[in-house]
Amino acid sequence: DNPASANLAIGAVNTPVLKLNFSAGSAAVTVTGVKVTRSGLSQDADINNMYLYDGVTRLATNLGISLGKVNFNNANGLFIVPAGTTKTITVTLDATTATSSASHVLSFGVATAADVTLSGTGAVSGNLPVSGSQYALVSVSNLATLTITAPSTGNVTVNAGQTNYLAAQFTV
């Protein structure tokens, strides 16, 4: 269920690059740390930020990467995997805005079980190592933009139950 390989525009924001499935046995498990490894023909400077998400909920932000490693840690727990369930965590990134990184290829994964730390007893199962797809950074000079200017309007009253009322209009 990993995101497919793709080109990423220089400066792309919050782009999903890896999905990790964590399964708990008969007891709930609190995950306190996840170490994500960068690989490919790339460098640490190709990444501005990385994030962990549970669905649409941001669990953690990591503003730095060092020696190809991104460490997400929270002693109180990044997330909990309830007993007998599997939780999917998505890793996203903000790509560098440096055009010199164009054509660099990024890939991310979790190398070993030691790269996942837990609080208390219990275990999380999974197939490790796991690695995601490859993403090529590309420079885009003519990225489309859209500017919408709000029309000037006076005070308008709309009564409850009124139908067929034009509330807004603009031209693209």
Side-chain angles (χ1 to χ4, degrees):
D1 190 23
N2 263 319
S5 293
N7 290 331
L8 295 182
I10 297 290
V13 176
N14 207 23
T15 304
V17 293
L18 181 66
K19 287 191 177 182
L20 302 168
N21 293 320
F22 295 86
S23 299
S26 60
V29 176
T30 301
V31 177
T32 58
V34 177
K35 184 185 297 183
V36 176
T37 302
R38 174 195 51 80
S39 60
L41 298 172
S42 60
Q43 58 190 2
D44 290 349
D46 293 337
I47 302 159
N48 283 347
N49 302 315
M50 291 194 80
Y51 312 97
L52 288 184
Y53 279 89
D54 179 2
V56 297
T57 303
R58 185 181 293 178
L59 303 173
T61 300
N62 185 295
L63 301 177
I65 181 170
S66 179
L67 303 173
K69 305 287 185 193
V70 179
N71 293 300
F72 296 98
N73 294 297
N74 183 334
N76 295 320
L78 291 166
F79 56 92
I80 296 171
V81 183
T85 67
T86 297
K87 183 177 286 285
T88 300
I89 301 298
T90 304
V91 180
T92 70
L93 69 77
D94 294 344
T96 182
T97 57
T99 56
S100 60
S101 290
S103 76
H104 291 188
V105 178
L106 303 163
S107 183
F108 300 93
V110 175
T112 69
D115 290 340
V116 177
T117 54
L118 309 174
S119 169
T121 60
V124 173
S125 64
N127 296 323
L128 297 170
V130 63
S131 58
S133 302
Q134 292 187 337
Y135 302 91
L137 292 173
V138 295
S139 181
V140 180
S141 61
N142 60 350
L143 192 61
T145 59
L146 174 65
T147 303
I148 298 176
T149 304
S152 59
T153 59
N155 292 334
V156 177
T157 302
V158 179
N159 297 317
Q162 185 173 352
T163 60
N164 296 322
Y165 182 82
L166 180 61
Q169 180 176 356
F170 58 91
T171 302
V172 178

